[in-house]
Amino acid sequence: MSSNQESVFPEYETDTSQTSKLLRKFKETPFVPIGMAGFAVVVGYGLYRLKHRGDKKMSLHLIHMRVAAQGFVVGALTCGVLYSMFREHVMKPKD
């Protein structure tokens, strides 16, 4: 093999830093990181409120926290899918 072969994927080899990969993914699918951030916020708030739950059982508190976190993630992903469908089918110029 010769050493002067061109790369098959030159755009992926130039962006090798983790920050640039993360920014590229965020631009391609912005609702996935939003869902992950919302999940982290809900879990953080739930852990904070775990100490002040009163006489509520821990299992019930954890179930409510899980449902809220899952609901946020599913809602963010649903918004992302609806946005991409809108962008591709409604905003798409006529061919």
PDB file of all heavy atoms in Angstrom, residues 18-49:
ATOM      1  N   GLN A  18     -13.018  15.564  21.494  1.00  0.00           N
ATOM      2  CA  GLN A  18     -14.316  15.177  22.056  1.00  0.00           C
ATOM      3  C   GLN A  18     -15.299  16.338  22.042  1.00  0.00           C
ATOM      4  O   GLN A  18     -16.490  16.146  21.833  1.00  0.00           O
ATOM      5  CB  GLN A  18     -14.120  14.662  23.491  1.00  0.00           C
ATOM      6  CG  GLN A  18     -13.343  13.374  23.574  1.00  0.00           C
ATOM      7  CD  GLN A  18     -14.094  12.221  22.941  1.00  0.00           C
ATOM      8  OE1 GLN A  18     -15.317  12.174  22.934  1.00  0.00           O
ATOM      9  NE2 GLN A  18     -13.352  11.280  22.390  1.00  0.00           N
ATOM     10  N   THR A  19     -14.799  17.542  22.254  1.00  0.00           N
ATOM     11  CA  THR A  19     -15.678  18.714  22.264  1.00  0.00           C
ATOM     12  C   THR A  19     -16.290  18.947  20.893  1.00  0.00           C
ATOM     13  O   THR A  19     -17.485  19.222  20.788  1.00  0.00           O
ATOM     14  CB  THR A  19     -14.891  19.956  22.704  1.00  0.00           C
ATOM     15  OG1 THR A  19     -14.260  19.682  23.955  1.00  0.00           O
ATOM     16  CG2 THR A  19     -15.797  21.149  22.851  1.00  0.00           C
ATOM     17  N   SER A  20     -15.489  18.816  19.847  1.00  0.00           N
ATOM     18  CA  SER A  20     -16.030  19.046  18.508  1.00  0.00           C
ATOM     19  C   SER A  20     -17.015  17.947  18.119  1.00  0.00           C
ATOM     20  O   SER A  20     -18.011  18.213  17.452  1.00  0.00           O
ATOM     21  CB  SER A  20     -14.905  19.139  17.481  1.00  0.00           C
ATOM     22  OG  SER A  20     -14.193  17.933  17.425  1.00  0.00           O
ATOM     23  N   LYS A  21     -16.763  16.717  18.550  1.00  0.00           N
ATOM     24  CA  LYS A  21     -17.718  15.634  18.285  1.00  0.00           C
ATOM     25  C   LYS A  21     -19.030  15.886  19.007  1.00  0.00           C
ATOM     26  O   LYS A  21     -20.115  15.684  18.444  1.00  0.00           O
ATOM     27  CB  LYS A  21     -17.143  14.289  18.724  1.00  0.00           C
ATOM     28  CG  LYS A  21     -16.059  13.765  17.839  1.00  0.00           C
ATOM     29  CD  LYS A  21     -15.570  12.430  18.351  1.00  0.00           C
ATOM     30  CE  LYS A  21     -14.412  11.904  17.541  1.00  0.00           C
ATOM     31  NZ  LYS A  21     -13.914  10.625  18.076  1.00  0.00           N
ATOM     32  N   LEU A  22     -18.947  16.336  20.269  1.00  0.00           N
ATOM     33  CA  LEU A  22     -20.152  16.610  21.035  1.00  0.00           C
ATOM     34  C   LEU A  22     -20.944  17.760  20.424  1.00  0.00           C
ATOM     35  O   LEU A  22     -22.171  17.683  20.309  1.00  0.00           O
ATOM     36  CB  LEU A  22     -19.782  16.928  22.484  1.00  0.00           C
ATOM     37  CG  LEU A  22     -20.936  17.171  23.435  1.00  0.00           C
ATOM     38  CD1 LEU A  22     -21.759  15.899  23.606  1.00  0.00           C
ATOM     39  CD2 LEU A  22     -20.426  17.645  24.768  1.00  0.00           C
ATOM     40  N   LEU A  23     -20.257  18.808  19.998  1.00  0.00           N
ATOM     41  CA  LEU A  23     -20.949  19.929  19.370  1.00  0.00           C
ATOM     42  C   LEU A  23     -21.598  19.530  18.054  1.00  0.00           C
ATOM     43  O   LEU A  23     -22.699  19.980  17.735  1.00  0.00           O
ATOM     44  CB  LEU A  23     -19.974  21.088  19.158  1.00  0.00           C
ATOM     45  CG  LEU A  23     -19.529  21.806  20.425  1.00  0.00           C
ATOM     46  CD1 LEU A  23     -18.453  22.836  20.110  1.00  0.00           C
ATOM     47  CD2 LEU A  23     -20.713  22.452  21.118  1.00  0.00           C
ATOM     48  N   ARG A  24     -20.924  18.679  17.278  1.00  0.00           N
ATOM     49  CA  ARG A  24     -21.504  18.215  16.013  1.00  0.00           C
ATOM     50  C   ARG A  24     -22.762  17.383  16.269  1.00  0.00           C
ATOM     51  O   ARG A  24     -23.785  17.555  15.611  1.00  0.00           O
ATOM     52  CB  ARG A  24     -20.482  17.396  15.232  1.00  0.00           C
ATOM     53  CG  ARG A  24     -20.968  17.072  13.831  1.00  0.00           C
ATOM     54  CD  ARG A  24     -20.016  16.185  13.071  1.00  0.00           C
ATOM     55  NE  ARG A  24     -20.112  14.841  13.615  1.00  0.00           N
ATOM     56  CZ  ARG A  24     -19.078  14.094  14.000  1.00  0.00           C
ATOM     57  NH1 ARG A  24     -17.863  14.547  13.902  1.00  0.00           N
ATOM     58  NH2 ARG A  24     -19.249  12.883  14.482  1.00  0.00           N
ATOM     59  N   LYS A  25     -22.717  16.494  17.257  1.00  0.00           N
ATOM     60  CA  LYS A  25     -23.889  15.683  17.587  1.00  0.00           C
ATOM     61  C   LYS A  25     -25.024  16.554  18.105  1.00  0.00           C
ATOM     62  O   LYS A  25     -26.197  16.294  17.819  1.00  0.00           O
ATOM     63  CB  LYS A  25     -23.538  14.624  18.635  1.00  0.00           C
ATOM     64  CG  LYS A  25     -22.839  13.439  18.070  1.00  0.00           C
ATOM     65  CD  LYS A  25     -23.795  12.676  17.200  1.00  0.00           C
ATOM     66  CE  LYS A  25     -23.219  11.364  16.807  1.00  0.00           C
ATOM     67  NZ  LYS A  25     -24.098  10.659  15.899  1.00  0.00           N
ATOM     68  N   PHE A  26     -24.694  17.567  18.900  1.00  0.00           N
ATOM     69  CA  PHE A  26     -25.725  18.453  19.426  1.00  0.00           C
ATOM     70  C   PHE A  26     -26.410  19.211  18.301  1.00  0.00           C
ATOM     71  O   PHE A  26     -27.610  19.445  18.352  1.00  0.00           O
ATOM     72  CB  PHE A  26     -25.118  19.427  20.431  1.00  0.00           C
ATOM     73  CG  PHE A  26     -26.147  20.271  21.124  1.00  0.00           C
ATOM     74  CD1 PHE A  26     -26.966  19.724  22.087  1.00  0.00           C
ATOM     75  CD2 PHE A  26     -26.298  21.602  20.799  1.00  0.00           C
ATOM     76  CE1 PHE A  26     -27.920  20.499  22.726  1.00  0.00           C
ATOM     77  CE2 PHE A  26     -27.245  22.382  21.422  1.00  0.00           C
ATOM     78  CZ  PHE A  26     -28.060  21.821  22.391  1.00  0.00           C
ATOM     79  N   LYS A  27     -25.665  19.588  17.257  1.00  0.00           N
ATOM     80  CA  LYS A  27     -26.265  20.285  16.119  1.00  0.00           C
ATOM     81  C   LYS A  27     -27.120  19.341  15.280  1.00  0.00           C
ATOM     82  O   LYS A  27     -28.140  19.748  14.733  1.00  0.00           O
ATOM     83  CB  LYS A  27     -25.181  20.907  15.248  1.00  0.00           C
ATOM     84  CG  LYS A  27     -24.531  22.098  15.883  1.00  0.00           C
ATOM     85  CD  LYS A  27     -23.432  22.658  15.022  1.00  0.00           C
ATOM     86  CE  LYS A  27     -22.720  23.793  15.721  1.00  0.00           C
ATOM     87  NZ  LYS A  27     -21.572  24.278  14.935  1.00  0.00           N
ATOM     88  N   GLU A  28     -26.717  18.077  15.170  1.00  0.00           N
ATOM     89  CA  GLU A  28     -27.478  17.118  14.373  1.00  0.00           C
ATOM     90  C   GLU A  28     -28.774  16.718  15.062  1.00  0.00           C
ATOM     91  O   GLU A  28     -29.825  16.647  14.441  1.00  0.00           O
ATOM     92  CB  GLU A  28     -26.637  15.876  14.097  1.00  0.00           C
ATOM     93  CG  GLU A  28     -25.487  16.112  13.140  1.00  0.00           C
ATOM     94  CD  GLU A  28     -24.589  14.899  13.014  1.00  0.00           C
ATOM     95  OE1 GLU A  28     -24.882  13.852  13.653  1.00  0.00           O
ATOM     96  OE2 GLU A  28     -23.599  14.983  12.285  1.00  0.00           O
ATOM     97  N   THR A  29     -28.705  16.398  16.344  1.00  0.00           N
ATOM     98  CA  THR A  29     -29.880  15.965  17.106  1.00  0.00           C
ATOM     99  C   THR A  29     -29.909  16.702  18.436  1.00  0.00           C
ATOM    100  O   THR A  29     -29.431  16.195  19.452  1.00  0.00           O
ATOM    101  CB  THR A  29     -29.843  14.456  17.369  1.00  0.00           C
ATOM    102  OG1 THR A  29     -28.618  14.146  18.027  1.00  0.00           O
ATOM    103  CG2 THR A  29     -29.962  13.660  16.095  1.00  0.00           C
ATOM    104  N   PRO A  30     -30.481  17.911  18.476  1.00  0.00           N
ATOM    105  CA  PRO A  30     -30.415  18.708  19.712  1.00  0.00           C
ATOM    106  C   PRO A  30     -31.309  18.201  20.835  1.00  0.00           C
ATOM    107  O   PRO A  30     -31.078  18.540  21.991  1.00  0.00           O
ATOM    108  CB  PRO A  30     -30.853  20.097  19.255  1.00  0.00           C
ATOM    109  CG  PRO A  30     -31.704  19.849  18.067  1.00  0.00           C
ATOM    110  CD  PRO A  30     -31.122  18.634  17.397  1.00  0.00           C
ATOM    111  N   PHE A  31     -32.292  17.384  20.548  1.00  0.00           N
ATOM    112  CA  PHE A  31     -33.218  16.979  21.597  1.00  0.00           C
ATOM    113  C   PHE A  31     -32.690  15.834  22.450  1.00  0.00           C
ATOM    114  O   PHE A  31     -33.161  15.634  23.566  1.00  0.00           O
ATOM    115  CB  PHE A  31     -34.579  16.612  21.001  1.00  0.00           C
ATOM    116  CG  PHE A  31     -35.335  17.813  20.520  1.00  0.00           C
ATOM    117  CD1 PHE A  31     -35.326  18.179  19.198  1.00  0.00           C
ATOM    118  CD2 PHE A  31     -36.038  18.588  21.409  1.00  0.00           C
ATOM    119  CE1 PHE A  31     -36.005  19.297  18.754  1.00  0.00           C
ATOM    120  CE2 PHE A  31     -36.729  19.713  20.994  1.00  0.00           C
ATOM    121  CZ  PHE A  31     -36.714  20.070  19.661  1.00  0.00           C
ATOM    122  N   VAL A  32     -31.714  15.085  21.968  1.00  0.00           N
ATOM    123  CA  VAL A  32     -31.139  14.007  22.769  1.00  0.00           C
ATOM    124  C   VAL A  32     -30.357  14.573  23.952  1.00  0.00           C
ATOM    125  O   VAL A  32     -30.581  14.153  25.095  1.00  0.00           O
ATOM    126  CB  VAL A  32     -30.285  13.067  21.894  1.00  0.00           C
ATOM    127  CG1 VAL A  32     -29.542  12.061  22.746  1.00  0.00           C
ATOM    128  CG2 VAL A  32     -31.155  12.358  20.872  1.00  0.00           C
ATOM    129  N   PRO A  33     -29.430  15.531  23.753  1.00  0.00           N
ATOM    130  CA  PRO A  33     -28.762  16.099  24.925  1.00  0.00           C
ATOM    131  C   PRO A  33     -29.709  16.851  25.856  1.00  0.00           C
ATOM    132  O   PRO A  33     -29.509  16.865  27.073  1.00  0.00           O
ATOM    133  CB  PRO A  33     -27.724  17.050  24.332  1.00  0.00           C
ATOM    134  CG  PRO A  33     -27.538  16.623  22.942  1.00  0.00           C
ATOM    135  CD  PRO A  33     -28.822  16.003  22.518  1.00  0.00           C
ATOM    136  N   ILE A  34     -30.751  17.461  25.294  1.00  0.00           N
ATOM    137  CA  ILE A  34     -31.737  18.141  26.134  1.00  0.00           C
ATOM    138  C   ILE A  34     -32.455  17.117  27.014  1.00  0.00           C
ATOM    139  O   ILE A  34     -32.682  17.347  28.207  1.00  0.00           O
ATOM    140  CB  ILE A  34     -32.727  18.941  25.268  1.00  0.00           C
ATOM    141  CG1 ILE A  34     -32.018  20.133  24.629  1.00  0.00           C
ATOM    142  CG2 ILE A  34     -33.936  19.395  26.074  1.00  0.00           C
ATOM    143  CD1 ILE A  34     -32.831  20.859  23.597  1.00  0.00           C
ATOM    144  N   GLY A  35     -32.809  15.979  26.448  1.00  0.00           N
ATOM    145  CA  GLY A  35     -33.436  14.908  27.227  1.00  0.00           C
ATOM    146  C   GLY A  35     -32.516  14.365  28.303  1.00  0.00           C
ATOM    147  O   GLY A  35     -32.944  14.095  29.425  1.00  0.00           O
ATOM    148  N   MET A  36     -31.235  14.216  27.966  1.00  0.00           N
ATOM    149  CA  MET A  36     -30.274  13.727  28.954  1.00  0.00           C
ATOM    150  C   MET A  36     -30.085  14.739  30.082  1.00  0.00           C
ATOM    151  O   MET A  36     -30.002  14.369  31.255  1.00  0.00           O
ATOM    152  CB  MET A  36     -28.938  13.419  28.282  1.00  0.00           C
ATOM    153  CG  MET A  36     -29.002  12.207  27.396  1.00  0.00           C
ATOM    154  SD  MET A  36     -27.570  11.871  26.361  1.00  0.00           S
ATOM    155  CE  MET A  36     -26.209  12.550  27.192  1.00  0.00           C
ATOM    156  N   ALA A  37     -30.027  16.024  29.746  1.00  0.00           N
ATOM    157  CA  ALA A  37     -29.884  17.065  30.769  1.00  0.00           C
ATOM    158  C   ALA A  37     -31.124  17.120  31.657  1.00  0.00           C
ATOM    159  O   ALA A  37     -31.010  17.260  32.884  1.00  0.00           O
ATOM    160  CB  ALA A  37     -29.633  18.413  30.107  1.00  0.00           C
ATOM    161  N   GLY A  38     -32.296  17.011  31.053  1.00  0.00           N
ATOM    162  CA  GLY A  38     -33.533  17.000  31.849  1.00  0.00           C
ATOM    163  C   GLY A  38     -33.596  15.805  32.772  1.00  0.00           C
ATOM    164  O   GLY A  38     -34.041  15.915  33.923  1.00  0.00           O
ATOM    165  N   PHE A  39     -33.148  14.658  32.291  1.00  0.00           N
ATOM    166  CA  PHE A  39     -33.094  13.461  33.119  1.00  0.00           C
ATOM    167  C   PHE A  39     -32.195  13.697  34.330  1.00  0.00           C
ATOM    168  O   PHE A  39     -32.551  13.366  35.461  1.00  0.00           O
ATOM    169  CB  PHE A  39     -32.583  12.277  32.295  1.00  0.00           C
ATOM    170  CG  PHE A  39     -32.358  11.032  33.079  1.00  0.00           C
ATOM    171  CD1 PHE A  39     -33.419  10.227  33.420  1.00  0.00           C
ATOM    172  CD2 PHE A  39     -31.088  10.659  33.481  1.00  0.00           C
ATOM    173  CE1 PHE A  39     -33.219   9.064  34.146  1.00  0.00           C
ATOM    174  CE2 PHE A  39     -30.872   9.516  34.210  1.00  0.00           C
ATOM    175  CZ  PHE A  39     -31.943   8.710  34.548  1.00  0.00           C
ATOM    176  N   ALA A  40     -31.027  14.295  34.085  1.00  0.00           N
ATOM    177  CA  ALA A  40     -30.092  14.552  35.181  1.00  0.00           C
ATOM    178  C   ALA A  40     -30.678  15.542  36.183  1.00  0.00           C
ATOM    179  O   ALA A  40     -30.504  15.376  37.401  1.00  0.00           O
ATOM    180  CB  ALA A  40     -28.774  15.076  34.628  1.00  0.00           C
ATOM    181  N   VAL A  41     -31.391  16.548  35.700  1.00  0.00           N
ATOM    182  CA  VAL A  41     -32.009  17.531  36.598  1.00  0.00           C
ATOM    183  C   VAL A  41     -33.097  16.879  37.441  1.00  0.00           C
ATOM    184  O   VAL A  41     -33.178  17.101  38.655  1.00  0.00           O
ATOM    185  CB  VAL A  41     -32.567  18.723  35.788  1.00  0.00           C
ATOM    186  CG1 VAL A  41     -33.491  19.593  36.633  1.00  0.00           C
ATOM    187  CG2 VAL A  41     -31.433  19.540  35.210  1.00  0.00           C
ATOM    188  N   VAL A  42     -33.935  16.061  36.817  1.00  0.00           N
ATOM    189  CA  VAL A  42     -35.013  15.395  37.564  1.00  0.00           C
ATOM    190  C   VAL A  42     -34.432  14.449  38.617  1.00  0.00           C
ATOM    191  O   VAL A  42     -34.890  14.421  39.766  1.00  0.00           O
ATOM    192  CB  VAL A  42     -35.956  14.643  36.601  1.00  0.00           C
ATOM    193  CG1 VAL A  42     -36.902  13.727  37.353  1.00  0.00           C
ATOM    194  CG2 VAL A  42     -36.754  15.635  35.771  1.00  0.00           C
ATOM    195  N   VAL A  43     -33.401  13.701  38.257  1.00  0.00           N
ATOM    196  CA  VAL A  43     -32.780  12.792  39.223  1.00  0.00           C
ATOM    197  C   VAL A  43     -32.117  13.575  40.348  1.00  0.00           C
ATOM    198  O   VAL A  43     -32.236  13.214  41.528  1.00  0.00           O
ATOM    199  CB  VAL A  43     -31.771  11.852  38.518  1.00  0.00           C
ATOM    200  CG1 VAL A  43     -30.923  11.097  39.521  1.00  0.00           C
ATOM    201  CG2 VAL A  43     -32.513  10.875  37.632  1.00  0.00           C
ATOM    202  N   GLY A  44     -31.434  14.659  40.007  1.00  0.00           N
ATOM    203  CA  GLY A  44     -30.810  15.489  41.042  1.00  0.00           C
ATOM    204  C   GLY A  44     -31.829  16.074  41.993  1.00  0.00           C
ATOM    205  O   GLY A  44     -31.639  16.070  43.221  1.00  0.00           O
ATOM    206  N   TYR A  45     -32.931  16.593  41.455  1.00  0.00           N
ATOM    207  CA  TYR A  45     -33.997  17.139  42.296  1.00  0.00           C
ATOM    208  C   TYR A  45     -34.632  16.043  43.148  1.00  0.00           C
ATOM    209  O   TYR A  45     -34.936  16.259  44.321  1.00  0.00           O
ATOM    210  CB  TYR A  45     -35.055  17.819  41.434  1.00  0.00           C
ATOM    211  CG  TYR A  45     -36.192  18.393  42.241  1.00  0.00           C
ATOM    212  CD1 TYR A  45     -36.025  19.531  43.005  1.00  0.00           C
ATOM    213  CD2 TYR A  45     -37.448  17.778  42.244  1.00  0.00           C
ATOM    214  CE1 TYR A  45     -37.056  20.055  43.757  1.00  0.00           C
ATOM    215  CE2 TYR A  45     -38.488  18.291  42.978  1.00  0.00           C
ATOM    216  CZ  TYR A  45     -38.293  19.428  43.742  1.00  0.00           C
ATOM    217  OH  TYR A  45     -39.322  19.933  44.484  1.00  0.00           O
ATOM    218  N   GLY A  46     -34.812  14.880  42.562  1.00  0.00           N
ATOM    219  CA  GLY A  46     -35.395  13.771  43.325  1.00  0.00           C
ATOM    220  C   GLY A  46     -34.499  13.326  44.460  1.00  0.00           C
ATOM    221  O   GLY A  46     -34.977  13.003  45.557  1.00  0.00           O
ATOM    222  N   LEU A  47     -33.197  13.309  44.225  1.00  0.00           N
ATOM    223  CA  LEU A  47     -32.271  12.946  45.298  1.00  0.00           C
ATOM    224  C   LEU A  47     -32.235  14.019  46.382  1.00  0.00           C
ATOM    225  O   LEU A  47     -32.112  13.710  47.572  1.00  0.00           O
ATOM    226  CB  LEU A  47     -30.877  12.709  44.731  1.00  0.00           C
ATOM    227  CG  LEU A  47     -30.730  11.459  43.878  1.00  0.00           C
ATOM    228  CD1 LEU A  47     -29.343  11.408  43.262  1.00  0.00           C
ATOM    229  CD2 LEU A  47     -30.999  10.209  44.696  1.00  0.00           C
ATOM    230  N   TYR A  48     -32.347  15.271  45.974  1.00  0.00           N
ATOM    231  CA  TYR A  48     -32.411  16.357  46.952  1.00  0.00           C
ATOM    232  C   TYR A  48     -33.672  16.251  47.805  1.00  0.00           C
ATOM    233  O   TYR A  48     -33.636  16.420  49.018  1.00  0.00           O
ATOM    234  CB  TYR A  48     -32.359  17.700  46.235  1.00  0.00           C
ATOM    235  CG  TYR A  48     -32.587  18.876  47.134  1.00  0.00           C
ATOM    236  CD1 TYR A  48     -31.595  19.312  48.000  1.00  0.00           C
ATOM    237  CD2 TYR A  48     -33.803  19.554  47.112  1.00  0.00           C
ATOM    238  CE1 TYR A  48     -31.801  20.398  48.835  1.00  0.00           C
ATOM    239  CE2 TYR A  48     -34.028  20.639  47.943  1.00  0.00           C
ATOM    240  CZ  TYR A  48     -33.024  21.057  48.804  1.00  0.00           C
ATOM    241  OH  TYR A  48     -33.245  22.123  49.628  1.00  0.00           O
ATOM    242  N   ARG A  49     -34.791  15.959  47.153  1.00  0.00           N
ATOM    243  CA  ARG A  49     -36.070  15.852  47.877  1.00  0.00           C
ATOM    244  C   ARG A  49     -36.208  14.549  48.658  1.00  0.00           C
ATOM    245  O   ARG A  49     -37.128  14.402  49.449  1.00  0.00           O
ATOM    246  CB  ARG A  49     -37.242  15.965  46.892  1.00  0.00           C
ATOM    247  CG  ARG A  49     -37.385  17.314  46.243  1.00  0.00           C
ATOM    248  CD  ARG A  49     -37.774  18.392  47.201  1.00  0.00           C
ATOM    249  NE  ARG A  49     -39.055  18.060  47.809  1.00  0.00           N
ATOM    250  CZ  ARG A  49     -39.569  18.678  48.865  1.00  0.00           C
ATOM    251  NH1 ARG A  49     -38.923  19.647  49.430  1.00  0.00           N
ATOM    252  NH2 ARG A  49     -40.732  18.317  49.337  1.00  0.00           N
TER     253      ARG A  49
END
